[in-house]
């Protein structure tokens, strides 16, 4: 089994200078209220971009698949939450009529703004974290950002129905070997940023 690789290079250094101050500002500003925790399981559908073949002249189709998420949140203020979000996608891509796995695990620390209006709540979320890619050939961890807008429909003080549209942007390495076996590469990322988008629903339970 190939060793796990971390994204490296000048792109990571540039991104780290931007997201690290933001991450630590969010993290150290948290004012956790012990009686305001939430757990939210969600199910959704993920829309994936294509890859490109090893000759860089043709796209390789990547499957759109269900996504499964769980969020752990805490009330930071009357209009805001801190959140740890984990999201998993089990997908595939096709190359020369051969099907290969391309699984993805997102892990992010998010800030969630709650915009309330007469019992109806709109949510806006921004987060930083990592993306874990795993194919049939290799695996890698890369830095990523996530942004989401959604709604909350409160059934009670403890239960809410969640809807969400979320995007993920992962900084990938053009020289990555995640789709390579030895020196034989069958696919590459098309661009230096990989975009996933999702539509999800879930139930938030507060305790």
């Amino acid at each position: 089994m190939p060793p796990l690789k971390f994204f490296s290079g000048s792109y990571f250094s540039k991104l780290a200078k931007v997201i690290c101050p933001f991450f630590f500002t969010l993290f150290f500003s948290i004012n956790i209220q012990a009686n305001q925790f939430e757990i939210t399981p969600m199910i959704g559908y993920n829309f994936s971009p294509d890859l490109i073949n090893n000759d860089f002249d043709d796209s390789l189709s990547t499957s759109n698949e269900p996504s499964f998420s769980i969020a752990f949140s805490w009330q930071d203020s009357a209009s805001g939450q801190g959140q740890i979000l984990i999201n998993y996608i089990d997908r595939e891509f096709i190359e020369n009529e051969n099907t290969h796995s391309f699984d993805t695990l997102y892990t992010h620390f998010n800030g969630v703004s709650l915009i309330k209006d007469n019992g109806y709540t709109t949510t806006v979320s921004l987060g930083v974290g990592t993306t874990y890619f795993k194919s049939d050939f290799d695996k890698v961890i890369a830095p990523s950002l996530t942004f989401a807008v959604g709604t909350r429909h409160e059934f009670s003080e403890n239960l809410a129905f969640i809807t969400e549209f979320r995007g993920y942007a992962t900084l990938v390495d053009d020289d990555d070997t995640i789709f390579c076996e030895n020196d034989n590469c069958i696919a590459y990322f098309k661009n230096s940023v990989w975009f996933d988008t999702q539509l999800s629903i879930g139930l938030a339970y507060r305790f």
Side-chain angles (χ1 to χ4, degrees):
M1 180 178 293
L4 177 63
K5 297 180 181 179
F6 289 85
F7 183 92
S8 61
S10 60
Y11 286 118
F12 179 78
S13 299
K14 293 177 182 177
L15 184 66
K17 292 178 181 178
V18 175
I19 68 173
C20 284
F22 173 73
F23 178 84
F24 285 111
T25 299
L26 283 176
F27 186 80
F28 288 112
S29 67
I30 292 173
N31 178 24
I32 298 177
Q33 302 173 24
N35 62 341
Q36 295 290 304
F37 290 94
E38 268 187 9
I39 183 169
T40 308
M42 289 183 284
I43 186 170
Y45 196 74
N46 187 80
F47 301 92
S48 305
D50 290 338
L51 300 168
I52 194 167
N53 68 354
N54 59 347
D55 292 325
F56 299 96
D57 60 4
D58 193 19
S59 295
L60 301 179
S61 177
T62 305
S63 62
N64 298 322
E65 300 287 353
S67 62
F68 303 93
S69 309
I70 189 164
F72 302 94
S73 307
W74 55 91
Q75 201 70 31
D76 186 46
S77 67
S79 60
Q81 290 180 327
Q83 182 187 82
I84 294 172
L85 176 65
I86 301 170
N87 187 303
Y88 176 69
I89 309 159
D90 179 6
R91 59 182 158 197
E92 300 172 335
F93 71 95
I94 299 173
E95 178 267 337
N96 288 336
E97 300 184 353
N98 296 315
T99 300
H100 304 278
S101 68
F102 176 32
D103 299 343
T104 305
L105 181 68
Y106 289 110
T107 305
H108 286 82
F109 176 83
N110 302 325
V112 183
S113 177
L114 308 174
I115 306 168
K116 300 180 180 181
D117 183 19
N118 295 327
Y120 180 84
T121 303
T122 300
T123 61
V124 179
S125 172
L126 178 65
V128 294
T130 60
T131 304
Y132 172 71
F133 290 126
K134 182 179 183 296
S135 73
D136 290 335
F137 312 102
D138 205 351
K139 46 194 173 182
V140 67
I141 292 177
S144 54
L145 301 174
T146 183
F147 175 79
V149 293
T151 63
R152 289 176 62 96
H153 303 271
E154 307 285 345
F155 294 139
S156 68
E157 291 185 359
N158 300 101
L159 191 65
F161 177 70
I162 306 296
T163 67
E164 186 176 82
F165 174 76
R166 179 172 294 276
Y168 292 95
T170 303
L171 196 60
V172 293
D173 193 340
D174 294 338
D175 297 326
D176 219 315
T177 59
I178 186 173
F179 307 112
C180 305
E181 187 172 22
N182 299 322
D183 293 329
N184 181 30
C185 297
I186 64 171
Y188 295 95
F189 292 110
K190 268 190 173 183
N191 302 295
S192 58
V193 179
W194 173 266
F195 290 103
D196 269 323
T197 54
Q198 297 177 358
L199 289 171
S200 302
I201 58 174
L203 284 176
Y205 177 72
R206 180 177 297 170
F207 55 94

